[in-house]
């Protein structure tokens, strides 16, 4: 860890102004990712602005605008509180399941919702400063491409970077079409649809989101939907808890009788961003909710997978996981 | 004392327990030492080659920095002094990735860590030898050869009607104790005190002294509590002596703790093994041949080979056996003893193969094992001091409900889950090692108190407690009147807490000392007694204010005539998700015959702790190397998966009553190691029974079951 300046902001405006024009300064939320990376010398900010005291922890029903009737979750609320809030549990159980599938109780108590979205990849080469890594040091090469890549991407990767994005929470948020609201130093707010929030690596794996420098995540908005009775977050991992996903699937169905009127499928552990499986979703709409149709959808969804040397299993596992998650989502209301 | 009042054999709670859960037990670097500076190691970022330059100018100018020590300015050490793994800054040569190449000492930990980042190192880099898959074919018999042969196994395999010939692979594992290796060094003149974490207190003292070119009297090891070691704190590693070096150079007491990441290339590991096991049997299920051929790796300049063939030497009666070892040097840190060394990995191969053979014979694997139970040690013909292998299997089968197991796989389903049962046997040798102890008695009025002193180690296993129980019984005192002092090389020398010799060696010597002390008090009284009085009675009746004695105990000479081992039987029930391949061990039972159980509570904790690691070995634990660089990609506990609570279902431990005074006077056999032996095989066998899929490459991660 290198020496850095530490300040603490108590209101939003001084927080965003404090960061303005300082490319090497960062917000400090729960610190569960940032401080780890600083100890590994991967992140080297020269200034941290502690934003834990900002009044951005509320969870409340949205009363105006396009997402009216939905839920707004404060950017600095703790993951534990978001997962266990009664409105979240009732209306967005998928989000509860996804958050609780991540990390450990202790970490979720520290981790914030905004910080969770911005957590960085767990690629072991990214974490080791003596290794080449385009994400950490653009232009040095990707150690994982020909290296140990069992945990890496099967969709949307580039020769520059094959890392996966590790958040569980975000996989549910992608399926729920969440919107991220952010504020910049001039006090302007903008809303970023979740699908546009994270990026594929392309030629610039160091740029992971569409957040502009200095922007603060103030809230995450969840539009109203009818998925609460038929959703499921499946996480397949190397141990039963406290491990990142090999594959995860957030599945949500809106049913009309046994006919699917809306379907959402997002996958984790497969790409540089939450991976919406649009082909599978489209295939399901208007169909009966049957195992056979789930299988067709899964096969369609996995068709473009491009596995690496050590992660070929993710294609079959992804396929099965989509089917299983959809089945569990379908059974949801019965159980 | 009436038998029913005896403390030995009862579940006394750990006497150091409250200290530990309230944070009052001082582990190595917790000791409050005034004016201590902080040191941090920095490490090589290549696995093979030579350092051509180290530029530490910027680091030396960094605030708070007291010294930067590298091979260029490090004091000369004796690299053959007994410290394991080299890496003591004695040369620019690099033999493995993450080799220590320097120390930064500063006023604070943060200053030291920061300065370490400012150091620039240039290398002349060579291609490392780090790809075991490719190098295995170059492996050669080790210099220290433990091959074993009787009969002609290969010939018997050729003619047998039922055979199994398979290769089993186990990955590199790390010990990862909760307390990383750490020490404080404090010099007075040419004497140094090292507050550290040592499974063998006198071993650490001797190795540190020889390496630092000091006599042992000038090195004191203080290690009252150990936050786990599992073999990695048996031998000592460079960090211990480098702490002393740093303190000498900085002319201040120095604290040096390894970071979790540094643990992967600082303190040994369990090496990767390929084990080919070939078994042959008659159609009645009589074993006719057993061959166990082991290939492994060691460090570039130092050999170490886990004895994977040990179980195969004694588990089954076979007229023909062959055990061979081959090893190839690699640019990876020296492997070392790791819980159940050789036996845990070896039993995975042997007991998987036995399960495979029993399945081919369509025979219950327990029946098969009992059929092949040897009457005496097949490897040397010695009688057993005692052997409860069959009793373990039978008692376990009954308690576990083994009769519900289906012979054929995939016959037991519950929704999306396939359920399977597996069994595997295990064993570990029982030895006593020479140890000395002093017992002191003091009396105030009618209250007698005792102090027991020896340089024993308590890894968190219960040494303090069992010694207090032993002394309390032998002296006729309440346990609260007994104080146990261990973990200090100023105390009488004692065996290490390694290889399951701790409890046996320590309890026997303490018991011997108490008996001798009582004899001395009787003699002192000058009286004749009809019934032997106890030490506590004599102190009071003879109004003796204080008395002490010392004993040096050795193993029984007659013990050599017997083959003495603990035995166990492990039973696993697994639930495998048909679709995702995730495995959960829903029930696990270990039945152990290990002589006298001094304390069923601490013993149970030892066994179930070993079981948990064995389950980790079976399902989750693996240290992965990138062969291109020779570095580990699994460097933190987020990547190196020890089992989490959710991975572990119901655990239970049963002890078979066993009186074995042939092994040693008290009839103790040791349980620290045996608890992990056979566990991984039981789980893998259960996975086969559940799924029909035989996984011969650990760990059994979901991808292997798709
Ligand atoms: C051992 C371990 C296991 C884990 N396992 C999982 C898992 O299984 N699944 C999972 O999903 N996660 C897992 N995590 C990750 C954990 O969820 C994240 O570390 C956490 O969510 C990050 O939140 P934080 O508030 O601590 O972020 P911080 O570390 O404080 O910040 C992360 C980044 O976000 C920026 N930031 C934070 N808040 C804002 C804001 N409001 N606006 C703009 N920028 C901001 C910071 O500047 C920093 O760059 C694990 C973490 C650990 C250490
Ligand atoms: S996958 Fe991405 S993060 Fe990992 S080494 Fe390659 S560039 Fe770096």
């Amino acid at each position: 860890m290198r020496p850095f300046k530490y300040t603490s902001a108590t209101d939003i405006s001084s927080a965003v102004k404090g960061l303005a024009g300082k490319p090497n300064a960062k917000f400090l939320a729960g610190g569960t990712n940032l401080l780890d990376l600083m100890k590994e010398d991967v992140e080297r900010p020269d200034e941290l602005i502690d934003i834990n005291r900002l009044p951005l922890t509320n969870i409340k029903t949205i009363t105006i605008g396009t997402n009216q009737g939905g839920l707004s979750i404060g950017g600095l609320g703790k993951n534990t509180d978001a997962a266990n809030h009664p409105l979240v549990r009732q209306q967005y159980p998928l989000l509860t399941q996804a958050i609780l599938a991540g990390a450990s109780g202790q970490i979720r108590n520290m981790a914030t919702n905004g910080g969770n979205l911005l957590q960085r990849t767990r690629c072991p080469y990214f974490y080791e400063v003596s290794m080449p890594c385009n994400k950490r040091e653009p232009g040095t090469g990707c150690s994982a491409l020909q290296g140990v890549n069992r945990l890496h991407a099967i969709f949307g990767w580039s020769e520059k970077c094959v890392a996966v994005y590790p958040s569980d929470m975000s996989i549910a948020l992608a399926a729920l079409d969440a919107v991220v609201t952010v504020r910049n130093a001039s006090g302007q707010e903008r809303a970023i649809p979740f699908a546009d929030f994270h990026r594929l690596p392309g030629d610039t794996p160091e740029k992971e989101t569409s957040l502009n420098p200095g922007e603060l995540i103030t809230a995450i908005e969840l539009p109203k939907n009818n998925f609460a009775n038929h959703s499921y977050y499946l996480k397949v991992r190397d141990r039963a808890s406290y491990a990142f996903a090999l594959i995860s699937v957030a599945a949500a169905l809106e049913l009309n009788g046994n006919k699917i009127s809306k379907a959402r499928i997002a996958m984790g552990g497969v790409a540089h961003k939450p991976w919406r499986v649009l082909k599978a979703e489209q295939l399901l709409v208007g169909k009966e909710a049957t195992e056979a149709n789930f299988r067709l959808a899964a096969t369609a969804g996995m068709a473009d997978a491009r596995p690496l040397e050590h992660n070929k299993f993710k294609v079959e596992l992804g396929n099965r996981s989509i089917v299983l998650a959809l089945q569990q989502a379908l059974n949801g209301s019965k159980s | 004392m009436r038998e029913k009042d005896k403390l030995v054999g009862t579940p006394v709670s750990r006497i150091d327990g409250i200290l530990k859960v309230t944070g009052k037990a001082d582990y190595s670097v917790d000791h409050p030492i005034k004016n201590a500076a902080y040191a941090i190691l920095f490490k090589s970022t290549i696995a093979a080659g030579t350092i051509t330059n180290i530029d530490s100018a910027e680091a030396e100018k960094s605030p708070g920095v007291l010294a930067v020590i590298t091979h260029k300015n490090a004091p000369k050490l004796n690299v053959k002094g007994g410290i394991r793994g080299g890496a003591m800054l004695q040369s620019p040569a690099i033999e493995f990735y993450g080799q220590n190449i320097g120390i930064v000492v500063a006023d604070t930990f943060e200053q030291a860590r920061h300065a370490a980042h400012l150091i620039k190192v240039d290398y002349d880099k060579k291609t490392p030898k780090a790809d075991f898959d490719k190098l295995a074919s170059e492996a050669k018999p080790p210099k220290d050869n433990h091959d074993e042969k009787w009969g002609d196994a290969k010939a018997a395999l050729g003619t047998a009607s039922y055979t199994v010939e398979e290769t089993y692979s186990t990955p590199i594992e790390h010990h990862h104790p909760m307390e990383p290796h750490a020490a404080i060094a404090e010099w007075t003149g040419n004497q140094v005190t090292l507050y550290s974490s040592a499974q063998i207190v006198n071993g650490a003292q001797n190795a540190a002294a020889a390496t630092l070119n000091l006599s042992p009297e000038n090195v004191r090891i203080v290690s009252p509590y150990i936050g786990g070691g599992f073999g990695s704190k048996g031998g000592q590693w460079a960090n211990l002596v480098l702490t002393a070096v740093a303190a000498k150079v900085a002319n201040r007491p120095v604290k040096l703790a390894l970071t979790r990441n540094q643990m992967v290339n600082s303190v040994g590991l369990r090496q990767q093994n390929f084990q080919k096991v070939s078994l042959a049997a008659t159609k009645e299920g009589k074993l006719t041949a057993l061959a166990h051929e082991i290939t492994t790796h060691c460090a570039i300049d130092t050999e170490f080979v886990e004895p994977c063939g040990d179980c195969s030497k004694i588990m089954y009666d076979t007229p023909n056996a062959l055990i061979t070892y081959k090893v190839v040097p690699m640019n990876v840190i020296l492997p070392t003893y790791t819980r159940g060394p050789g036996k845990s990995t070896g039993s995975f191969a042997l007991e998987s193969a036995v399960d495979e053979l029993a399945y081919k014979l369509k025979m219950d694997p327990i029946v098969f094992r009992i059929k092949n139970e040897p009457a005496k040690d097949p490897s040397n013909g010695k009688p057993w001091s005692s052997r409860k292998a069959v009793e373990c299997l039978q008692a376990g089968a009954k308690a576990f409900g083994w009769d519900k197991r289906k012979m054929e796989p995939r016959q037991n389903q519950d929704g999306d889950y396939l359920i399977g049962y597996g069994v595997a046997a295990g064993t570990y040798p029982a030895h006593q090692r020479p140890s000395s102890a002093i017992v002191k008695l003091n009396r105030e009025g009618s209250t007698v108190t005792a102090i027991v002193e020896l340089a024993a180690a308590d890894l968190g296993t219960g040494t303090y407690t069992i010694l207090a129980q032993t002394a309390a019984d032998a002296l006729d005192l309440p346990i609260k009147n007994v104080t146990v002092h261990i973990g200090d090389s100023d105390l009488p020398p004692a065996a290490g807490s390694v290889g399951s010799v701790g409890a046996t060696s320590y309890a026997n010597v303490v018991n011997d000392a108490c008996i001798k002390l009582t004899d001395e008090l009787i003699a002192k009284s000058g009286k004749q007694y009809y019934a032997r009085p106890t030490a506590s009675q004599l102190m009071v009746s003879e109004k003796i204010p204080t008395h002490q004695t010392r004993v040096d105990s050795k193993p029984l000479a007659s013990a050599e005539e017997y083959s003495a081992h603990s035995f166990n039987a492990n039973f696993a029930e697994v639930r495998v998700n048909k679709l995702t391949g995730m495995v959960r061990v829903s029930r696990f039972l270990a039945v152990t015959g290990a002589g006298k159980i001094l304390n069923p509570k601490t013993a149970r904790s030892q066994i179930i702790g070993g079981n948990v690691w064995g389950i980790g070995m079976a399902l989750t634990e693996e240290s992965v190397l990138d062969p291109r660089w020779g570095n580990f990609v699994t460097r933190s506990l987020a990547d190196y998966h020890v089992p989490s609570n959710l991975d572990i279902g119901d655990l239970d431990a049963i002890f078979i009553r066993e009186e074995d005074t042939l092994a040693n006077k008290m009839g103790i056999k040791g349980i620290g190691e045996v608890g992990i032996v056979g566990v991984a095989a039981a789980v893998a066998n259960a996975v086969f029974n559940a799924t029909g899929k035989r996984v011969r490459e650990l760990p059994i991660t979901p991808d292997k079951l798709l």
Side-chain angles (χ1 to χ4, degrees):
Chain A
M1 196 181 267
R2 311 208 170 210
F4 57 90
K5 183 176 158 196
Y6 170 88
T7 56
S8 179
T10 47
D11 63 276
I12 299 170
S13 134
S14 59
V16 284
K17 284 198 182 117
L19 210 62
K22 295 181 189 159
N24 291 325
K26 282 199 164 266
F27 293 131
L28 174 68
T32 60
N33 192 224
L34 180 57
L35 294 181
D36 272 8
L37 288 165
M38 286 167 69
K39 289 178 193 166
E40 302 292 342
D41 208 28
V42 175
E43 296 263 25
R44 302 170 184 182
D46 56 15
E47 180 174 348
L48 290 186
I49 301 179
D50 188 334
I51 52 176
N52 283 291
R53 278 185 265 172
L54 300 187
L56 290 173
T57 57
N58 273 349
I59 296 179
K60 52 180 190 282
T61 302
I62 302 168
T63 51
I64 48 162
T66 39
N67 290 330
Q68 192 175 355
L71 211 56
S72 165
I73 296 175
L76 282 152
K78 299 295 186 189
N79 278 180
T80 299
D81 297 331
N84 293 322
H85 195 279
L87 290 176
V88 177
R89 281 195 175 265
Q90 280 156 28
Q91 297 170 21
Y92 307 95
L94 182 65
L95 183 59
T96 300
Q97 285 180 12
I99 295 175
L100 297 181
S104 66
Q106 293 89 333
I107 291 174
R108 295 193 298 267
N109 289 344
M110 285 297 288
T112 63
N113 302 323
N116 191 314
L117 265 47
L118 295 176
Q119 64 174 293
R120 309 199 66 189
T121 184
R122 310 301 291 203
C123 173
Y125 303 101
F126 173 70
Y127 260 78
E128 171 55 64
V129 290
S130 64
M131 296 279 107
C133 169
N134 285 327
K135 185 184 281 299
R136 185 170 22 78
E137 257 184 280
T140 53
C142 170
S143 294
L145 187 62
Q146 312 288 341
V148 180
N149 51 33
R150 175 172 175 266
L151 300 172
H152 288 72
I154 55 172
F155 290 117
W157 52 266
S158 70
E159 298 279 317
K160 292 273 159 61
C161 178
V162 294
V164 294
Y165 170 64
S167 164
D168 289 298
M169 180 182 189
S170 291
I171 308 308
L173 293 174
L176 296 168
D177 272 338
V179 172
V180 185
T181 58
V182 303
R183 191 174 307 183
N184 68 12
S186 346
Q188 285 158 331
E189 282 230 333
R190 64 181 182 120
I192 310 173
F194 213 79
D196 302 335
F197 187 78
H198 296 96
R199 296 161 44 110
L200 288 177
D203 284 335
T204 52
E206 70 280 11
K207 178 129 181 65
E208 291 160 352
T209 68
S210 52
L211 214 57
N212 292 321
E215 277 180 327
L216 175 80
I217 298 177
T218 51
I220 300 159
E221 297 196 343
L222 296 167
K224 200 172 155 58
N225 66 39
N226 293 318
F227 295 129
N229 289 335
H230 294 289
S231 65
Y232 191 76
Y233 188 72
L234 173 75
K235 182 173 177 182
V236 185
R237 44 189 148 176
D238 283 329
R239 67 179 160 188
S241 88
Y242 207 24
F244 290 92
L246 293 170
I247 292 269
S248 70
V249 178
L253 297 171
E254 188 185 297
L255 295 174
N256 188 349
N258 198 41
K259 205 174 232 155
I260 299 168
S261 45
K262 280 190 186 142
R264 300 280 176 74
I265 303 168
M267 295 182 83
V270 294
H272 197 260
K273 61 182 287 190
W275 190 255
R276 272 288 285 272
V277 196
L278 296 173
K279 272 190 196 154
E281 293 178 10
Q282 284 151 10
L283 214 138
L284 287 172
V285 173
K287 303 264 168 55
E288 291 290 312
T290 60
E291 190 177 329
N293 284 332
F294 293 164
R295 282 185 194 286
L296 287 175
T299 306
M302 297 306 292
D304 316 330
R306 282 188 301 145
L308 303 160
E309 188 185 349
H310 301 130
N311 67 9
K312 301 199 168 58
F313 72 93
K314 282 192 178 183
V315 181
E316 173 64 19
L317 184 60
N319 197 312
R320 293 179 183 203
S321 299
I322 292 176
V323 177
L324 184 56
L326 285 167
Q327 274 173 336
Q328 299 283 7
L330 176 64
N331 294 340
S333 57
K334 293 178 208 151
S335 60
Chain B
M1 200 185 303
R2 284 168 306 165
E3 201 59 33
K4 75 175 177 55
D5 297 332
K6 293 264 191 213
L7 289 162
V8 167
T10 64
V12 176
S13 291
R14 276 181 25 199
I15 57 180
D16 50 336
I18 298 290
L19 283 182
K20 287 188 170 168
V21 296
T22 55
K24 289 191 184 122
D26 283 337
Y27 291 88
S28 50
V29 280
D30 299 339
H31 288 273
I33 302 295
K34 283 208 187 72
N35 194 33
Y38 292 79
I40 187 153
L41 294 173
F42 58 96
K43 290 175 158 275
S44 72
T45 56
I46 63 164
T50 314
I51 300 171
T52 52
N53 188 41
I54 298 188
D55 176 1
S56 57
E58 214 187 323
E60 281 160 44
K61 280 184 288 188
S62 182
V65 170
L66 303 168
V68 177
I69 307 160
T70 68
H71 70 276
K72 292 193 284 189
N73 59 350
K76 185 116 191 63
L77 302 177
N78 169 13
V79 294
K80 298 219 160 15
I83 291 292
R84 297 180 73 76
M88 291 181 281
L89 317 182
Q90 299 298 297
S91 101
I94 300 297
E95 293 183 346
F96 61 91
Y97 193 102
Q99 180 179 322
N100 305 323
I101 55 170
I103 318 169
V104 181
V105 194
D107 284 326
T108 70
F109 171 72
E110 289 76 12
Q111 289 168 333
R113 183 172 56 182
H114 172 54
H117 290 314
L118 305 175
I119 291 163
K120 293 176 204 77
V121 186
D122 298 323
Y123 301 98
D124 179 8
K125 191 179 163 185
K126 287 205 216 107
T127 309
K129 292 171 74 178
D131 193 340
F132 184 59
D133 288 348
K134 296 208 174 106
L135 291 165
S137 59
E138 296 173 21
K140 303 218 161 49
K143 283 176 229 108
D144 180 19
N145 198 308
H146 292 271
D147 287 4
E148 190 91 35
K149 186 178 179 200
W150 62 88
D152 186 344
K154 293 270 152 139
L157 277 159
T159 58
S161 38
Y162 287 87
T163 57
V164 165
E165 277 189 59
E166 295 293 349
T167 299
Y168 302 86
S169 161
T170 54
I172 292 177
E173 287 185 346
H174 278 91
H175 311 77
H176 278 316
M178 283 288 282
E179 179 203 29
H181 292 52
I184 307 174
E186 189 173 32
W187 288 87
T188 11
N190 68 341
Q191 299 193 314
V192 66
T193 301
L194 293 162
Y195 300 86
S196 68
S197 200
Q199 287 179 240
I200 315 176
V201 174
N202 301 105
Q205 178 190 25
N206 291 332
T211 308
L212 293 165
N213 300 306
L214 298 172
S215 63
E217 308 83 77
N218 288 337
V219 175
R220 180 177 170 206
I221 300 288
V222 181
S223 170
Y225 303 108
I226 304 171
F230 313 114
S232 67
K233 294 173 183 168
Q236 291 292 319
W237 304 83
N239 70 293
L240 182 70
V241 287
L242 292 182
T243 312
V245 165
K248 191 84 194 172
V249 173
N251 199 21
R252 270 191 41 196
V254 163
K255 294 190 177 193
L256 192 165
L258 297 182
T259 64
R260 180 60 62 189
N261 287 6
Q262 291 179 335
M263 291 287 286
V264 300
N265 41 35
S266 300
V267 294
L269 43 77
R270 192 201 293 282
Q271 63 238 84
Q272 189 177 351
N273 298 304
F274 292 150
Q275 304 180 61
K276 184 176 172 205
V277 177
S278 315
L279 301 177
T282 64
K283 70 172 187 305
E284 292 76 30
K286 179 70 199 72
L287 199 62
T288 54
L290 186 168
H292 194 158
E293 295 157 282
I294 297 128
T295 309
T296 191
H297 58 92
C298 63
I300 285 296
D301 65 348
T302 313
E303 201 176 271
F304 177 86
V305 177
E306 246 201 339
C308 292
D310 277 5
C311 293
S312 294
K313 287 201 299 203
I314 67 162
M315 273 322 290
Y316 301 109
D317 186 36
T318 175
N320 303 293
L322 175 69
I323 291 158
T324 66
Y325 292 91
K326 280 185 189 160
V327 62
V328 61
M330 295 212 313
N331 290 106
V332 175
I333 191 169
L334 179 65
T336 196
Y337 306 95
T338 309
R339 200 166 193 178
K343 284 73 166 179
S344 47
T345 35
S347 64
F348 166 65
L350 174 67
E351 294 294 297
S352 294
V354 164
D355 201 67
E356 297 203 44
L357 183 58
Y359 181 69
K360 276 194 180 169
L361 289 159
K362 298 290 165 215
M363 186 178 273
D364 184 298
I366 293 181
V367 173
F368 177 86
R369 286 182 173 88
I370 293 174
K371 248 189 203 247
N372 290 289
E373 172 73 1
K376 52 188 187 349
D377 185 331
S379 69
N380 56 22
K382 287 183 186 176
W384 305 111
S385 67
S386 63
R387 173 169 167 136
K388 293 277 186 268
V390 171
E391 290 82 347
C392 288
L393 286 164
Q394 288 169 335
K398 192 155 167 235
F400 199 71
W402 183 254
D403 54 349
K404 292 193 202 70
R405 172 190 183 262
K406 309 267 196 305
M407 170 84 71
E408 290 301 323
R410 299 183 82 91
Q411 300 304 304
N412 191 351
Q413 298 204 18
D414 174 16
D416 284 339
Y417 290 88
L418 296 165
I419 298 166
Y421 284 19
V423 67
T427 181
Y428 202 86
H431 293 294
Q432 181 183 352
R433 296 260 180 264
S435 290
S436 303
I438 291 175
V439 176
K440 297 177 179 165
L441 286 184
N442 289 302
R443 183 184 56 79
E444 273 186 43
S446 57
T447 306
V448 179
T449 54
I451 299 173
V452 175
E453 296 183 334
L454 68 165
D458 189 331
L459 281 160
T461 52
T463 305
Y464 280 103
T465 311
I466 57 162
L467 295 187
Q469 289 172 266
T470 303
D473 278 3
L475 300 167
D476 178 28
L477 289 172
I479 194 165
K480 65 174 178 16
N481 291 17
V482 180
T483 304
V484 178
H485 287 162
I486 59 172
D488 188 332
S489 61
D490 278 358
L491 302 173
S497 190
V498 291
S500 275
V501 304
T504 309
S505 310
Y506 305 152
N508 271 296
V509 69
V510 168
N511 194 48
D512 288 349
C514 294
I515 292 170
K516 177 165 173 242
L517 187 143
T518 310
D519 290 344
E520 287 171 6
L521 291 175
I522 291 173
K524 203 168 185 170
S525 77
K527 296 177 188 159
Q528 299 259 320
Y529 299 90
Y530 289 112
R532 181 179 164 90
T534 66
S536 96
Q537 288 165 349
L538 287 160
M539 290 291 285
V540 175
S541 65
E542 305 307 308
K543 299 199 169 51
I544 302 167
T546 174
H547 187 85
Q548 75 172 60
T549 199
R550 171 178 168 135
V551 150
D552 306 303
S553 290
K554 282 205 207 54
L556 294 173
S558 57
E560 276 302 298
E561 293 157 27
Y562 300 93
S563 182
H565 305 261
S566 299
F567 290 90
N568 72 12
N570 300 281
F571 293 82
E573 177 190 273
V574 299
R575 293 170 66 85
V576 184
N577 187 304
K578 273 201 290 217
L579 291 161
T580 64
M582 280 179 77
V583 180
R584 184 165 191 273
V585 177
S586 41
R587 287 197 297 140
F588 197 90
L589 168 69
V591 187
T592 312
K596 176 180 280 183
I597 299 305
L598 296 164
N599 181 330
K601 194 169 190 173
T602 55
R604 178 188 152 87
S605 293
Q606 280 293 287
I607 297 294
I608 64 176
N611 296 163
V612 170
W613 194 353
I615 292 170
M617 181 175 178
L619 300 180
T620 57
E621 291 186 43
E622 176 172 23
S623 292
V624 183
L625 272 176
D626 186 325
R628 297 170 300 170
W629 284 286
N631 66 337
F632 285 101
V633 297
T634 43
R635 296 175 302 264
S636 81
L637 293 179
D639 310 307
Y640 184 84
H641 291 150
V642 301
S644 68
N645 274 326
L646 212 54
D647 289 290
I648 304 296
D650 292 337
L651 297 177
D652 204 3
I654 296 176
F655 293 101
I656 299 288
R657 211 182 145 78
E658 185 174 40
E659 309 270 340
D660 186 347
T661 45
L662 295 172
N664 55 76
K665 267 192 257 175
M666 287 185 78
I668 305 163
K669 280 182 162 180
I671 44 171
E673 312 278 11
V674 77
I676 192 175
V677 184
V679 178
V683 174
N685 294 342
V687 167
F688 173 75
N689 185 243
T691 63
K693 190 146 187 176
R694 180 65 66 180
V695 182
R696 301 187 185 90
E697 188 184 343
L698 296 183
I700 309 173
T701 44
D703 44 316
K704 293 179 185 159
L705 292 174
L706 292 181

